[in-house]
Amino acid sequence: MTYEYTGMRVLPFVSQECPLRVPKEPQNKVTVVLGAQWGDEGKGKVVDLLAMDADIVCRCQGGNNAGHTVVVDSVEYDFHLLPSGVLNKKAVSFIGNGVVIHLPGLFEEAEKNLQKGKGLQGWEERLKISDRAHLVFNFHQAVDGIQEQQRQQQEGKNLGTTKKGIGPAYSSKAARNGLRVCDLVSDFKVFEEKFRMLAEHFLTMYPKLNVDVDSELEQLKGLAERLRPLVTDGVYFMHRALTGPSKKILVEGANAALLDIDFGTYPFVTSSNCTVGGVCTGLGVPPSYVGRVYGVVKAYTTRVGVGAFPTEQDNETGELLQSRGREFGVTTGRRRRCGWLDLILVRYAHMVNGFTAIALTKLDILDTLPEIKVGVAYKVDGQSLPSFPANMDVLTRVSVDYETLPGWCCNTEAARSFEELPSQAQSYIRFIEDFLQVPVKWVGVGKSRESMIKLF
C-alpha cells in the first residue's frame, strides 16, 4: 500500500482511475458556415437551410456591415445584424460578444423585415445578446465617413467601407475606451459619463465631427429598456448550450475569409476575424467544440469596393455575371465587381479554415456561357507564386493561369439532384472538388430553399 502526505497526517492512497482524467468528447459541437471569398457568396441561404432544424443560431463577429438575403415563401428578408436563423421560430438566435451592435440599426432592421412578412413575428422573444458585445454609436458612423474622406484626399483612394462605424467601434474596443451592452443596461449615469468621455475623445481627434451627445443619450436610454430583456451572460449561455442536453448549434459567419483582419487582403478588409478563429473568440466557444465547418463559394468571384482582384473581368463577361447575378451589395447597394472563380484564393481560405465541405452557390448564373474559366495559379514576372501573397502590391501585379472548361448553355434552375445537372456542370463541380480536395455538399441553382441541391 502507498501513502499520501496531506500536510496533517499520512493517509493510505487507494489507486483508482479518476473519471475526470478520462477524455470526453464534447456533448454538442457547433456547425459553422463561413464565406470563402470576399463576401456575398450566399451564406444566408446556406444558414437558412441549416437553421430550419437548429436549436441555436449565432453571430460571432462583424456588425451591420454584413448583409444576408433570405427568401422564404416568396418573401425576401434582408439581415445585417440579426442572425438569419431568426426566421426559425423554434430556434434561439444569439448575438455574441465579438459582434459590434448599432442599437438603432438593430431595431430598425427588425421593423423593416416585420413589414415584409410574418417570418419575424415574435423575434424579441427568441433573440439573446451577449452582455460583453461592444456598441456602435452614431459618432462611430460619422467618424467612419470622415476617415474615408481623409483617405481619399491624402492617398487618392479609400478602403470602401460601408460607413456603418464598424472600424471605429472595433478601434474603441482595442483602445479600451469602448462601451459594451453590460454598461448600457447597468447604471445609466455611469454609462452617460463614459459615453460623454468617448464622444469627447473623438471630437478631439476630429474637430469637424457633428455629434449631438444629448440627443443620442436620450435615444440610447429608451433603447436600453427594449434591450434589457434580450441581454444574457454570453459565456454561460454558450457553455450551457454546449454541455447540456443534445442541441444543434449553428454559427453564421459574416463577411468572408479574404476580408479577415489578419488573413484577408489587408488593408482592404473588415475589422474582425471572419475566419474560424472568430467563432471561438466571438462566442466564447472552446476550439474542441467546433465541429463541421462549411465554406460557401460562389461559382464565380465578386468583390465590393476597392482592392486587388486577380480574376476580375472588366469586360462583357463581367457585365454578364453582374447583370445575371444581380450583383449589388445588400448593405450598401454598391455594384459588385465580377470575375472568374479563383481557386487559388479559395484554397487559401481552406488552409485557414479547414473546410469540411463546400456549398457552391449561384451555379445557374453561368448557364449562358459557352466556356468557363477557372483561376488555378498565380504568376508574377513569369514566376509561379507558391502561396497566396500577403503583400497587396504583389497581388495587384499577378497574372492568372486559367483552366478553360466547357459551358452547358442550358437552364439549370429546375435541377433538384446532381444527376439532373448537365454533364458539363457536373464536371465543373468535380473540377472544383479535385482542385481543393474538399467535397461539394450543396449546389445552388436559384434563389429559393428548394434550389439548393444536396449532394450527400
Side-chain angles (χ1 to χ4, degrees):
M1 182 176 286
T2 59
Y3 290 87
E4 180 181 20
Y5 179 65
T6 66
M8 295 283 289
R9 57 201 171 110
V10 178
L11 297 173
F13 175 74
V14 180
S15 179
Q16 62 180 36
E17 192 165 5
C18 174
L20 291 175
R21 294 176 191 150
V22 179
K24 286 192 297 186
E25 268 295 302
Q27 171 70 26
N28 300 316
K29 289 192 174 188
V30 299
T31 297
V32 184
V33 176
L34 299 172
Q37 293 155 301
W38 275 297
D40 310 309
E41 301 93 350
K43 296 180 291 294
K45 187 191 291 186
V46 179
V47 169
D48 179 55
L49 201 67
L50 294 170
M52 286 193 291
D53 63 347
D55 298 298
I56 301 173
V57 184
C58 313
R59 272 281 305 272
C60 64
Q61 46 70 226
N64 59 345
N65 58 333
H68 294 168
T69 301
V70 179
V71 180
V72 180
D73 298 328
S74 301
V75 179
E76 196 170 279
Y77 297 95
D78 291 330
F79 296 109
H80 303 277
L81 261 171
L82 289 168
S84 44
V86 76
L87 293 169
N88 178 358
K89 290 182 169 60
K90 295 178 182 176
V92 175
S93 287
F94 178 56
I95 297 177
N97 59 276
V99 179
V100 288
I101 303 170
H102 183 248
L103 286 175
L106 175 71
F107 290 108
E108 185 183 318
E109 176 184 327
E111 294 302 323
K112 281 184 178 177
N113 280 302
L114 274 169
Q115 291 169 14
K116 292 181 177 182
K118 297 178 180 179
L120 233 70
Q121 286 180 350
W123 68 275
E124 287 176 276
E125 294 167 15
R126 53 184 189 271
L127 177 68
K128 295 293 178 188
I129 298 174
S130 171
D131 54 357
R132 290 174 169 84
H134 277 252
L135 296 168
V136 181
F137 300 119
N138 294 341
F139 56 72
H140 283 131
Q141 298 189 335
V143 165
D144 209 354
I146 291 171
Q147 288 177 342
E148 279 289 80
Q149 195 175 24
Q150 287 178 345
R151 290 184 196 105
Q152 188 65 45
Q153 290 169 350
Q154 292 166 7
E155 301 174 35
K157 59 182 179 182
N158 54 36
L159 293 181
T161 79
T162 58
K163 299 178 185 174
K164 297 291 184 181
I166 307 305
Y170 276 117
S171 296
S172 292
K173 178 178 179 176
R176 290 157 292 178
N177 60 6
L179 288 165
R180 302 189 292 176
V181 166
C182 58
D183 298 312
L184 179 58
V185 298
S186 189
D187 187 329
F188 193 79
K189 285 185 178 178
V190 176
F191 173 84
E192 182 178 339
E193 287 175 18
K194 292 178 179 178
F195 180 88
R196 289 184 185 278
M197 285 175 62
L198 183 59
E200 190 59 40
H201 166 77
F202 279 109
L203 276 165
T204 303
M205 294 173 66
Y206 304 97
K208 293 181 181 179
L209 185 64
N210 186 15
V211 181
D212 189 341
V213 172
D214 293 329
S215 174
E216 188 165 0
L217 277 168
E218 193 63 33
Q219 181 188 39
L220 288 165
K221 194 171 186 178
L223 291 174
E225 297 311 307
R226 290 189 70 181
L227 178 67
R228 189 168 279 109
L230 313 179
V231 178
T232 189
D233 185 313
V235 173
Y236 282 90
F237 174 82
M238 287 306 300
H239 180 72
R240 285 195 300 270
L242 292 166
T243 59
S246 179
K247 277 186 170 61
K248 289 185 178 178
I249 305 168
L250 182 62
V251 181
E252 172 182 344
N255 315 117
L258 274 295
L259 294 174
D260 185 278
I261 186 71
D262 286 301
F263 299 107
T265 46
Y266 190 89
F268 304 102
V269 292
T270 192
S271 304
S272 61
N273 287 115
C274 16
T275 44
V276 72
V279 174
C280 300
T281 57
L283 292 172
V285 172
S288 58
Y289 285 83
V290 176
R292 295 184 177 93
V293 180
Y294 295 125
V296 186
V297 179
K298 196 179 284 184
Y300 49 102
T301 309
T302 62
R303 179 165 199 176
V304 170
V306 291
F309 185 170
T311 63
E312 182 174 15
Q313 297 300 298
D314 191 11
N315 52 29
E316 288 182 4
T317 301
E319 287 176 13
L320 180 113
L321 294 170
Q322 201 278 328
S323 60
R324 279 186 55 81
R326 294 173 62 200
E327 295 295 351
F328 294 93
V330 177
T331 301
T332 61
R334 288 181 294 181
R335 182 184 181 276
R336 295 174 189 147
R337 299 153 62 193
C338 299
W340 298 118
L341 178 61
D342 185 340
L343 287 181
I344 308 100
L345 181 151
V346 178
R347 181 174 60 191
Y348 169 72
H350 171 51
M351 288 176 185
V352 175
N353 290 299
F355 296 133
T356 309
I358 294 291
L360 185 69
T361 61
K362 300 185 88 163
L363 185 75
D364 56 302
I365 306 306
L366 307 180
D367 283 354
T368 62
L369 292 165
E371 62 178 32
I372 300 161
K373 292 185 177 182
V374 181
V376 294
Y378 288 167
K379 286 181 179 175
V380 173
D381 299 329
Q383 298 294 312
S384 294
L385 291 182
S387 59
F388 189 84
N391 188 302
M392 286 308 98
D393 294 329
V394 174
L395 191 63
T396 55
R397 292 170 49 224
V398 301
S399 61
V400 182
D401 283 351
Y402 290 99
E403 190 78 28
T404 302
L405 303 172
W408 40 94
C409 295
C410 64
N411 193 311
T412 58
E413 290 181 33
R416 291 298 176 264
S417 69
F418 183 74
E419 290 71 29
E420 289 177 25
L421 289 170
S423 60
Q424 297 92 333
Q426 293 179 21
S427 297
Y428 186 70
I429 295 162
R430 288 197 182 99
F431 182 87
I432 293 166
E433 290 181 314
D434 290 343
F435 187 94
L436 298 174
Q437 289 298 290
V438 182
V440 172
K441 188 176 179 71
W442 297 277
V443 177
V445 290
K447 293 181 70 175
S448 67
R449 280 176 177 168
E450 296 73 29
S451 66
M452 288 296 287
I453 302 168
K454 190 174 181 180
L455 273 58
F456 65 93

